[in-house]
Amino acid sequence: KAGVTQTPRYLIKTRGQQVTLSCSPISGHRSVSWYQQTPGQGLQFLFEYFSETQRNKGNFPGRFSGRQFSNSRSEMNVSTLELGDSALYLCASSLEAGEVYEQYFGPGTRLTVT
Amino acid sequence: GDSVTQMEGPVTLSEEAFLTINCTYTATGYPSLFWYVQYPGEGLQLLLKATKADDKGSNKGFEATYRKETTSFHLEKGSVQVSDSAVYFCALIGSNYQLIWGAGTKLIIKP
């Protein structure tokens, strides 16, 4: 069974631009969560989607948004990029909502904002 | 609020040495505890977990015991290998039912 895939793996953007990252969960998994990983703040939860609905949200500004499609694939969008948004963005999938015990992580998208 | 504190890295050991990575937590009640590992260029993988006090999680030679008295969940391995070089994260399920992570500890094993 294929694992969680994230595209693109690397991205360079300029301050003020917006970016969209994509995540394809493991086949059959209906929940997708997003995390931000930075050297300074560590790993922080962004949001969780289940059945195309945002189920849970971390403490991030409204510039960070996401959505989930009917095939469970998810995208996250960051608008008006800031230098501090440079990070590794990780996606994790699980069968059902809230199953943090059984999350499987993708390799991440490395975003660099210049 | 809920938090996890890990020992700072990097931790550098020789092959076959004994490993301990300390992890302590602050939380309401008795949350489930986890160790995740992140190999270079890869995503996080669940290494082991413990869901209640005195539980011992184990996997791939690694062990950790849930100690409610000391609010700790230290990771141990009796004999490390070069292939164990990675970043290790301690985590708990917070009050919002999402993972609260430690800062991570980089482990370097030298042949």
Side-chain angles (χ1 to χ4, degrees):
Chain A
K1 189 183 269 191
V4 178
T5 58
Q6 292 187 245
T7 57
R9 291 292 309 276
Y10 302 92
L11 204 50
I12 299 175
K13 289 287 188 178
T14 303
R15 256 185 313 175
Q17 289 185 315
Q18 74 164 23
V19 68
T20 299
L21 312 182
S22 180
C23 171
S24 293
I26 291 173
S27 178
H29 285 196
R30 299 194 294 160
S31 173
V32 173
S33 295
W34 288 89
Y35 296 87
Q36 182 196 64
Q37 184 177 12
T38 61
Q41 299 297 318
L43 274 153
Q44 295 182 285
F45 169 71
L46 280 155
F47 28 64
E48 179 190 12
Y49 283 87
F50 178 76
S51 290
E52 301 178 62
T53 302
Q54 187 180 89
R55 185 178 174 275
N56 208 344
K57 189 178 189 305
N59 190 24
F60 277 81
R63 300 186 296 108
F64 292 82
S65 63
R67 59 177 175 168
Q68 187 180 35
F69 302 94
S70 58
N71 62 357
S72 296
R73 189 177 70 86
S74 177
E75 290 181 346
M76 68 162 281
N77 185 78
V78 188
S79 62
T80 320
L81 283 165
E82 301 176 0
L83 294 178
D85 297 333
S86 295
L88 180 67
Y89 290 88
L90 293 166
C91 162
S93 76
S94 58
L95 274 170
E96 299 293 334
E99 286 190 339
V100 291
Y101 294 87
E102 300 293 342
Q103 283 185 337
Y104 294 82
F105 285 80
T109 293
R110 172 76 62 184
L111 171 65
T112 302
V113 181
T114 63
Chain B
D2 301 330
S3 66
V4 176
T5 302
Q6 287 180 238
M7 64 189 291
E8 282 192 34
V11 172
T12 304
L13 295 171
S14 297
E15 209 166 17
E16 299 184 3
F18 185 87
L19 168 71
T20 300
I21 299 178
N22 291 337
C23 170
T24 57
Y25 67 89
T26 302
T28 304
Y30 304 108
S32 294
L33 301 173
F34 305 83
W35 276 101
Y36 279 82
V37 59
Q38 187 175 35
Y39 297 103
E42 297 184 20
L44 290 155
Q45 301 175 25
L46 178 63
L47 182 59
L48 53 83
K49 66 184 180 189
T51 57
K52 61 182 187 295
D54 300 325
D55 264 3
K56 177 185 283 188
S58 62
N59 186 25
K60 298 181 181 179
F62 291 89
E63 292 184 340
T65 301
Y66 192 143
R67 304 279 188 203
K68 67 177 182 180
E69 305 85 5
T70 53
T71 61
S72 66
F73 193 53
H74 304 323
L75 183 68
E76 297 181 335
K77 187 175 185 183
S79 176
V80 292
Q81 307 300 313
V82 172
S83 58
D84 293 326
S85 298
V87 181
Y88 292 81
F89 293 88
C90 185
L92 60 80
I93 296 182
S95 54
N96 64 349
Y97 301 103
Q98 287 301 329
L99 289 168
I100 307 296
W101 301 86
T105 302
K106 185 172 184 177
L107 175 64
I108 301 169
I109 306 300
K110 297 191 171 181

